[in-house]
Amino acid sequence: MATQQRPFHLVVFGASGFTGQFVTEEVAREQMSPERSSRLPWAVAGRSREKLQRVLERAAMKLGRPTLSSEVGIIICDITNPASLDEMAKQATVVLNCVGPYRFYGEPVVKACVENGTSCIDICGEPQFLELMYWKYHEKAAEKGAYIIGSSGFDSIPADLGVIYTRNKMNGTLTAVESFLTIHSGPEGLCTHDGTWKSAVYGFGDQSNLKKLRNESNLKPVPIVGPKLKRRWPISYCRELNSYSIPFLGADVSVVKRTQRYLHENLEQSPVQYAAYVTVGGVTSVIKLMFAGLFFLFFVKFGIGRQLLIKFPWLFSFGYFSKQGPTQKQIDASSFTLTFFGQGYSQGFGPDKNKPNIRICTQVKGPEAGYVATPIAMVQAAITLLTDASDLPKAGGVFTPGAAFSRTKLIDRLNQHGIEFSVISSSEV
């Protein structure tokens, strides 16, 4: 990737947005890291110089680095002004795009980056946008040597790399994985900024277009190795975790499936089937969630319903989403555990007529998902792009995190930054 003539290795676009502020802090932390042998020239970008300046001042105070503001470039650009996006892309080796919902604001950034041979990472959890960008820009990005990598936050680095980690740790062939996400909160409970809520409202309201996109793409199915993974009931009990669970509705399944297709078609790896769930605790939580879910699915079908959902996130999500986002206390007391249950075949034991004879349980654990783990994942993905160039796919293109990073040191970097991958148990049956 071209770095010689570009003044900034990293540019955080949307740095003054809710998540962008946390990403900005994380880049500043990375720049101070004792392992770093050379300077990391970087910049923040957005519409308002004053707001960007304030974000840098706040980060400087938080990290005890009074000189921070003078060390970081500021680029003024606007999503509605393509020339300003081109100008930003020309100055960066990697753009960290924090401006969502991506279905409305994501494509102009991808386009500017592809045209200028700049790599771009986002933290999108919207399958429709992620898949559309692949179809529209993959070939052009490959031509230009730009790496466009979506969903590099909590959606979906823990899940996507968690499946790859599980496969690498299994002594044999991994054929199927179920993951269970557990979110832990402190005494003040959980809260998420309503930007994530908006993305979900628009995504669910437009599912017919995602179906259409998938039908038109006409991909041949990836082979199923071993028995077909059965889908659980919408509410099921997970014995191992002693908790009820519901399907996880984020981008993880879409992203992992695309990664598995890539690894199968390009690296001839045996594809892994995948299903994702989230634990919801006991019966009371199940009932509360059922009501919230039914409300949501009913309102999201109509234009006026979507407007109400967006206007009153706190009301319709039982307080889980708000326009203010979480407090620092809520963030500090929150964490996540993603547990993977995998099955497959030991070496020399084939899937023909045999039942899987090996099981493995792995875990990815980390700090608060949205505003601590997401910036860590995004920034470490960007550092990996800058430093592990020889382990990336040969040409550029539009990739999932697993497709781009399966042979890099990203998992090691995450382990060193508090997102920990570990094997819990592994046994032949």
Side-chain angles (χ1 to χ4, degrees), residues 66-229:
T67 57
L68 181 69
S69 317
S70 60
E71 297 164 17
V72 182
I74 290 183
I75 300 170
I76 303 304
C77 68
D78 188 336
I79 210 82
T80 59
N81 178 347
S84 73
L85 294 176
D86 280 334
E87 209 38 58
M88 168 181 73
K90 283 178 184 143
Q91 297 181 66
T93 307
V94 183
V95 169
L96 281 68
N97 182 13
C98 304
V99 181
Y102 291 89
R103 66 168 52 241
F104 300 131
Y105 308 119
E107 187 171 352
V109 181
V110 171
K111 189 169 189 279
C113 286
V114 169
E115 283 173 359
N116 292 286
T118 305
S119 292
C120 177
I121 286 181
D122 69 45
I123 44 179
C124 174
E126 306 162 45
Q128 191 180 341
F129 171 79
L130 296 163
E131 293 177 32
L132 185 63
M133 290 305 98
Y134 173 81
W135 292 112
K136 285 181 85 166
Y137 293 100
H138 180 65
E139 283 172 14
K140 183 89 188 280
E143 238 170 74
K144 294 278 195 174
Y147 292 84
I148 308 297
I149 303 168
S151 53
S152 292
F154 178 72
D155 282 38
S156 294
I157 277 184
D160 202 15
L161 292 180
V163 172
I164 288 170
Y165 174 83
T166 307
R167 185 202 68 208
N168 293 346
K169 291 296 178 189
M170 188 176 212
N171 201 3
T173 304
L174 182 68
T175 60
V177 172
E178 288 183 317
S179 72
F180 291 84
L181 168 65
T182 305
I183 299 285
H184 316 279
S185 65
E188 301 201 6
L190 290 169
C191 181
T192 304
H193 188 256
D194 76 329
T196 307
W197 174 257
K198 280 181 190 158
S199 299
V201 170
Y202 293 124
F204 278 94
D206 199 26
Q207 280 205 302
S208 56
N209 276 326
L210 177 57
K211 281 198 180 112
K212 200 170 137 201
L213 175 69
R214 286 174 176 171
N215 292 336
E216 283 168 4
S217 62
N218 221 343
L219 292 166
K220 64 171 199 279
V222 172
I224 289 173
V225 181
K228 193 172 187 319
L229 184 60

Side-chain angles (χ1 to χ4, degrees), residues 24 93 135 166 178 189 238 249 282 307 318:
T24 301
T93 307
W135 292 112
T166 307
E178 288 183 317
C238 175
L249 299 175
Q307 282 168 5
F318 288 95

Side-chain angles (χ1 to χ4, degrees), residues 372-383:
V372 185
T374 285
I376 291 170
M378 187 185 212
V379 172
Q380 291 312 313
I383 296 297

Side-chain angles (χ1 to χ4, degrees), residues 250-268:
D252 289 359
V253 173
S254 152
V255 171
V256 171
K257 280 184 172 171
R258 287 170 57 219
T259 294
Q260 292 304 316
R261 171 181 291 282
Y262 173 87
L263 296 175
H264 173 65
E265 291 175 354
N266 295 275
L267 303 180
E268 294 176 5

Side-chain angles (χ1 to χ4, degrees), residues 335-412:
S335 63
F336 77 88
T337 306
L338 191 55
T339 307
F340 299 85
F341 296 104
Q343 60 176 34
Y345 297 91
S346 53
Q347 280 155 352
F349 197 82
D352 324 320
K353 301 191 187 79
N354 293 320
K355 275 188 173 164
N357 73 327
I358 191 165
R359 293 192 190 289
I360 185 168
C361 173
T362 62
Q363 243 173 26
V364 180
K365 277 182 155 168
E368 190 277 334
Y371 313 107
V372 185
T374 285
I376 291 170
M378 187 185 212
V379 172
Q380 291 312 313
I383 296 297
T384 303
L385 263 188
L386 291 172
T387 48
D388 295 6
S390 60
D391 299 319
L392 297 169
K394 284 282 175 284
V398 178
F399 297 102
T400 57
F405 298 127
S406 71
R407 298 193 283 193
T408 67
K409 298 188 181 71
L410 178 54
I411 289 176
D412 298 342

